[in-house]
Amino acid sequence: MQRYFLSAPFDDEGKAEISGDDGKHIVRVMRMVSGDQVIAVSGGHAYVSTISELATDGVIIQREGDALPSSEMPVSVTIACGLPKGDKLDWITQKGTELGMVGLIPFEAERSIVKWDDKKGGKKVERLRKIAKEAAEQCHRTLIPEVATTYTFKQLINAAKAYDVLFFADEEDAKNGKPHKIAERLQNVSPKQTVLVVFGPEGGLSRSEAEALHSAGFLPMALGPRILRTETAPLYLLSAMSYEFE
């Protein structure tokens, strides 16, 4: 059954409209008719809904029954990634959404080779948000991860104050005789807490960035004895958190 996120909530009678690109998809691509059912997501809850009226580029739906069980991870995890090269953020956004992240913060790291100006950055973020939406529909999420506009490193440090738990992936920690393993760090994380985890771009975080993060309350975390690519590391962490909490 196709899943769609509503731009406006159900009204008091349990009716809502699906229009725009999603409406066109229902009418022109799926060729649905009155009486067909979809899953509509509103306010973090998903409902089986029946199409009651069709228009050229949209439909009116009627909510049926109670909300479906949630598929969200018990812990809210936001991933902050130093801007990587190429389409790696596309991959992180899509797979991170499938693995349960609730937010993505791209940031300008010291070792980021690429730089986004306002025009380029706006288009990139818009594309990432579309990828997150499509991935959330495909994997039956009840929320779309929020993709932030590009942060400076200073803005990232300031944003950290809004989270309960702060981690950063640290290659140097992994090389140490007693690395702080993911399993050990997650022992102090509880369901319903908000978690922010920072990952560097290709080349990792600089030592000055690592020290600044540590001073701001971030705890270093080792991702095992092997060096992971910048697009692999966040997915490794999300998979470990899924195993721990789901």
Side-chain angles (χ1 to χ4, degrees):
M1 195 178 295
Q2 292 290 317
R3 177 171 293 230
Y4 300 95
F5 287 84
L6 300 182
S7 56
F10 289 100
D11 64 19
D12 293 339
E13 296 178 349
K15 293 183 182 295
E17 181 179 9
I18 301 177
S19 57
D21 289 341
D22 287 341
K24 292 175 183 177
H25 184 264
I26 291 172
V27 175
R28 301 182 185 183
V29 180
M30 300 304 298
R31 297 189 181 278
M32 293 186 184
V33 298
S34 294
D36 286 345
Q37 292 187 319
V38 298
I39 296 175
V41 184
S42 177
H45 299 287
Y47 302 88
V48 172
S49 301
T50 302
I51 296 174
S52 58
E53 298 176 38
L54 283 91
T56 306
D57 296 326
V59 298
I60 302 297
I61 57 173
Q62 175 66 53
R63 185 179 63 208
E64 307 287 352
D66 297 329
L68 299 172
S70 173
S71 59
E72 296 301 322
M73 192 184 296
V75 177
S76 296
V77 188
T78 296
I79 300 297
C81 293
L83 290 176
K85 296 183 294 183
D87 61 358
K88 292 176 182 177
L89 265 183
D90 292 7
W91 176 264
I92 293 170
T93 301
Q94 183 185 68
K95 301 309 174 187
T97 298
E98 292 179 28
L99 290 169
M101 74 175 184
V102 300
L104 176 69
I105 301 174
F107 73 94
E108 299 169 355
E110 276 187 41
R111 294 175 179 169
S112 289
I113 296 172
V114 300
K115 302 294 180 184
W116 290 0
D117 56 27
D118 291 342
K119 183 177 179 181
K120 183 178 180 180
K123 289 182 178 179
K124 287 276 191 180
V125 169
E126 185 178 338
R127 172 177 168 77
L128 294 175
R129 287 171 178 167
K130 183 177 180 182
I131 290 171
K133 177 181 179 295
E134 291 174 350
E137 290 170 344
Q138 182 274 323
C139 68
H140 285 204
R141 295 283 300 272
T142 54
L143 62 82
I144 302 169
E146 181 179 346
V147 179
T149 54
T150 310
Y151 281 26
T152 63
F153 185 72
K154 183 178 180 180
Q155 287 172 326
L156 177 63
I157 294 291
N158 289 334
K161 299 170 186 176
Y163 296 86
D164 299 320
V165 182
L166 306 171
F167 296 129
F168 69 99
D170 188 8
E171 290 180 17
E172 294 305 314
D173 189 83
K175 296 173 186 175
N176 152 1
K178 294 183 179 179
H180 296 94
K181 298 179 180 179
I182 288 179
E184 296 170 355
R185 287 302 194 201
L186 296 185
Q187 287 178 359
N188 296 320
V189 178
S190 303
K192 298 186 179 180
Q193 284 190 309
T194 56
V195 181
L196 175 62
V197 190
V198 177
F199 298 86
E202 298 87 353
L205 296 165
S206 69
R207 295 328 298 160
S208 62
E209 287 173 328
E211 290 167 8
L213 289 168
H214 198 275
S215 297
F218 285 80
L219 299 177
M221 174 188 285
L223 301 182
R226 293 167 295 282
I227 301 300
L228 303 180
R229 289 178 179 270
T230 188
E231 70 271 30
T232 306
L235 308 184
Y236 181 95
L237 179 277
L238 288 166
S239 298
M241 295 195 76
S242 177
Y243 176 83
E244 180 70 21
F245 296 104
E246 297 184 306

